[in-house]
Amino acid sequence: MSEWIVRQKIRIPFQYTTGRALTRFLTGLAECRIWATRCAECARVYVPPRSFCGRCWREITEWRELPAEGEVMSYTVRPADPPLILGLIRLDGADTALVHRLGEVEPEELERVVRVRAVWREDRTGSILDIAYFAPVR
Amino acid sequence: MRRVAILGAAQTRFEACKASLAYNELVYGVVREVLDRTGVPMREIESMVTASQDAYDGKTISGMAINEVVGAYLKSEAKVAADGLQALLYGVARILSGEFDLTLVVAHCKESEGDPAAITGLMFDPFVQRPLHLDELTAAALQARRYCRKKGLAPEDVALVSVKAHRQALKNPYAQRAGMFSVSDVLASPLLADPIHELEAAPRSDGACALLLASEARARAHTDRPVFIIGIGNCTDAYWTERDLAEARALQEAARRAYAMAGIREPAREIHVAEISARYAHEELMAIEALGLHPNLVELIAQERAACINPSGGPLCGNPPTVSGLLRAIEAYAQLSGEAGARQIEGARTALAHGAGGICGQNQTVVILQRE
Ligand SMILES: [Zn+2]
């Protein structure tokens, strides 16, 4: 049996177009504001915002601002140094979840964490990482 | 109404790294075996559907890289970049159309070649999720915790799925990972992404499988006891962060459609054996519930009848994405045709195969098979 391997790396520079809804969301983050959209038919509030409601198959045009605070629906800890903690966060007033890092908390305290609040970066650029992490509301 | 039967199937042994065989060689091996077993010459097969993923193969239009080994030269071929059970669905549709009497369905994946975290990371939204370096495992961990919280399941309950899978895999000569593990062995295996332990996640795996579909007339000329596909359902849910991850609505709906087509009213009684595409232990519990296979999942896993769920060991014992779903149908077929060897469930007449794709099972497929 012969074993021979050719090693390569696939690199594709990419520039993704954000589109109407995410442009407002991402530029809003630079101003420490969280923008959501609301479907006029099912009243579902999407954050990150969607331009279309898949459930109702219709365009969404209504905007609303949400507080940068909400509830942890789930979390996971990935082994690293320090451990990487990721949470599934439902902001108050939203029907969808935002994934983000959880900070100012030790892995063993996570079971008791219910509510979290966004901690903003100083140097914001219009990116999801303008939120440094979500911290427990104590 | 035309009916579709399975004439024969084959799978590779699954291994962490099949370093001596390129993927087209793996595919040729299983196609060759299906033809040898069924005695059907390649020139009689008019149509083929393959399942593969460009990102795992490291090249686009990956179906074209195997066209010569699936015998597609100057024939009708189509590829699905999705779970292999969807390739089966399209293969069945091709025969039902009346256009073809034989269709070869093939799936392959060599997870060893690319970086699974980088590849599965490409599934995620590039604007708000990829900057956080998400991958399939992380999303599965978020789902596992959400599901266990909602259902009040303890880590030991989920670990039992792994115990059962690896025990059953001891009887499966194609399995990559098998053993008599205890619940504490599972919970002592390294945490990959809390709460998912190494023994609760499908290991990185290489392999391929193939299956030959036939029209009823063609199948009757071939065997006295054909295995028919009597129901298929497929359903897609919302993006993973836009639905409750503790629910498996798409799977419930896919099952409802498949059961309605197959005339199944009480799945817990009428399905004798089920092969479930659970790449993570908690997914098997979610699927058993959504498929209505048992009212109390933990009780089911703990008792003897659990042997009827993934008698092969399932994906936890090693088989790569894309291959997983088609392999479930192949294992179900092995059970119904009495070719399952040491893992045979006696008297099985109706079987279920489940396939899933996308983040946290966004797309779900259910296939019901029956021996005449
Ligand atoms: Zn709506």
Side-chain angles (χ1 to χ4, degrees):
Chain A
M1 286 278 198
S2 62
E3 292 182 16
W4 194 253
I5 278 166
V6 174
R7 289 181 198 280
Q8 290 183 8
K9 241 180 196 165
I10 299 171
R11 282 196 201 85
I12 308 170
F14 222 90
Q15 49 177 54
Y16 293 97
T17 304
T18 51
R20 181 168 60 89
L22 280 170
T23 298
R24 183 153 180 187
F25 178 70
L26 292 171
T27 54
L29 293 177
E31 302 160 1
C32 300
R33 302 177 80 173
I34 295 180
W35 287 105
T37 52
R38 180 182 176 276
C39 173
E41 193 164 328
C42 68
R44 190 168 289 268
V45 174
Y46 288 88
V47 69
R50 288 263 188 209
S51 299
F52 307 94
C53 180
R55 286 173 166 79
C56 306
W57 198 72
R58 63 175 289 160
E59 216 171 326
I60 310 181
T61 50
E62 188 188 327
W63 288 88
R64 56 174 57 186
E65 197 178 345
L66 295 186
E69 199 174 311
E71 204 172 300
V72 178
M73 310 298 291
S74 184
Y75 67 87
T76 182
V77 184
R78 303 233 17 198
D81 191 23
L84 175 63
I85 308 173
L86 287 161
L88 205 56
I89 301 147
R90 183 144 77 202
L91 295 181
D92 294 344
D95 291 294
T96 62
L98 202 64
V99 191
H100 220 297
R101 296 187 188 122
L102 301 181
E104 295 175 32
V105 62
E106 294 302 320
E108 47 280 11
E109 302 169 324
L110 284 164
E111 273 300 308
R112 294 190 300 276
V113 175
V114 179
R115 294 193 59 77
V116 288
R117 179 195 304 131
V119 174
W120 299 91
R121 240 182 251 285
E122 290 292 329
D123 51 332
R124 292 181 300 276
T125 58
S127 150
I128 189 68
L129 301 179
D130 286 350
I131 298 172
Y133 52 83
F134 279 79
V137 177
R138 297 184 200 269
Chain B
M1 166 94 176
R2 274 170 80 88
R3 294 211 292 166
V4 180
I6 297 175
L7 276 200
Q11 59 182 295
T12 59
R13 186 160 188 272
F14 291 90
E15 293 172 285
C17 181
K18 288 181 170 292
S20 62
L21 292 173
Y23 59 75
N24 63 335
E25 294 168 327
L26 288 182
V27 169
Y28 180 76
V30 288
V31 171
R32 175 84 260 170
E33 200 175 323
V34 169
L35 268 55
D36 287 348
R37 282 188 183 181
T38 57
V40 175
M42 183 52 94
R43 66 184 142 73
E44 288 183 15
I45 303 175
E46 313 135 300
S47 133
M48 29 286 295
V49 183
T50 66
S52 59
Q53 311 270 358
D54 292 358
Y56 281 112
D57 283 354
K59 75 181 295 297
T60 58
I61 326 181
S62 55
M64 284 300 101
I66 54 161
N67 75 74
E68 85 281 18
V69 285
V70 299
Y73 183 67
L74 293 183
K75 292 177 188 169
S76 175
E77 181 267 4
K79 169 207 158 186
V80 298
D83 176 66
L85 205 55
Q86 281 204 48
L88 179 88
L89 186 158
Y90 293 122
V92 168
R94 280 177 162 230
I95 291 179
L96 290 178
S97 76
E99 184 72 12
F100 304 107
D101 278 319
L102 290 168
T103 293
L104 187 64
V105 185
V106 180
H108 78 268
C109 183
K110 287 193 81 178
E111 249 184 319
S112 66
E113 295 193 341
D115 173 355
I119 289 170
T120 63
L122 287 173
M123 288 193 290
F124 290 82
D125 167 283
F127 307 105
V128 296
Q129 296 186 342
R130 244 190 261 165
L132 297 156
H133 305 296
L134 294 176
D135 60 7
E136 181 197 76
L137 171 68
T138 308
L142 291 166
Q143 179 178 46
R145 183 176 311 279
R146 171 90 189 118
Y147 175 68
C148 291
R149 271 186 179 178
K150 190 159 177 177
K151 298 289 165 182
L153 296 172
E156 289 76 11
D157 297 330
V158 182
L160 267 176
V161 173
S162 168
V163 170
K164 182 214 61 169
H166 290 97
R167 187 185 63 219
Q168 301 200 157
L170 286 168
K171 298 178 191 164
N172 180 359
Y174 302 102
Q176 174 177 331
R177 190 171 69 185
M180 292 298 281
F181 299 117
S182 66
V183 165
S184 41
D185 291 336
V186 174
L187 297 178
S189 66
L191 261 177
L192 302 180
D194 190 4
I196 297 176
H197 297 80
E198 190 174 294
L199 286 172
E200 294 171 316
R204 204 167 162 180
S205 179
D206 285 1
C209 62
L211 170 154
L212 185 58
L213 295 173
S215 63
E216 180 170 7
R218 185 68 209 243
R220 291 209 183 281
H222 185 269
T223 171
D224 298 335
R225 271 193 3 170
V227 171
F228 286 105
I229 290 168
I230 60 166
I232 296 191
N234 171 269
C235 186
T236 295
D237 209 332
Y239 193 55
W240 72 293
T241 41
E242 297 180 0
R243 60 185 143 104
D244 185 350
L245 292 179
E247 303 291 331
R249 299 262 311 270
L251 180 51
Q252 287 170 0
E253 179 57 24
R256 191 192 61 73
R257 292 176 195 176
Y259 291 156
M261 196 184 291
I264 286 175
R265 291 200 174 79
E266 293 175 64
R269 194 175 55 78
E270 294 175 67
I271 303 289
H272 305 131
V273 55
E275 280 282 340
I276 291 168
S277 280
R279 298 190 51 76
Y280 300 94
H282 72 280
E283 291 179 346
E284 184 167 317
L285 297 175
M286 291 187 77
I288 291 169
E289 199 180 17
L291 292 166
L293 295 180
H294 198 275
N296 186 326
L297 5 139
V298 178
E299 194 181 284
L300 168 71
I301 293 292
Q303 65 179 229
E304 206 50 30
R305 198 177 123 73
C308 304
I309 311 274
N310 279 353
S312 69
L316 283 183
C317 301
N319 39 83
T322 313
V323 171
S324 287
L326 184 60
L327 190 60
R328 306 278 67 76
I330 288 173
E331 283 291 332
Y333 166 74
Q335 290 291 342
L336 300 183
S337 57
E339 294 167 6
R343 59 196 188 286
Q344 183 70 48
I345 303 294
E346 287 310 316
R349 202 177 147 256
T350 306
L352 179 149
H354 159 246
I359 306 165
C360 296
Q362 187 172 1
N363 188 276
Q364 300 278 350
T365 306
V366 175
V367 174
I368 312 295
L369 305 89
Q370 195 166 67
R371 161 168 61 85
E372 206 167 63

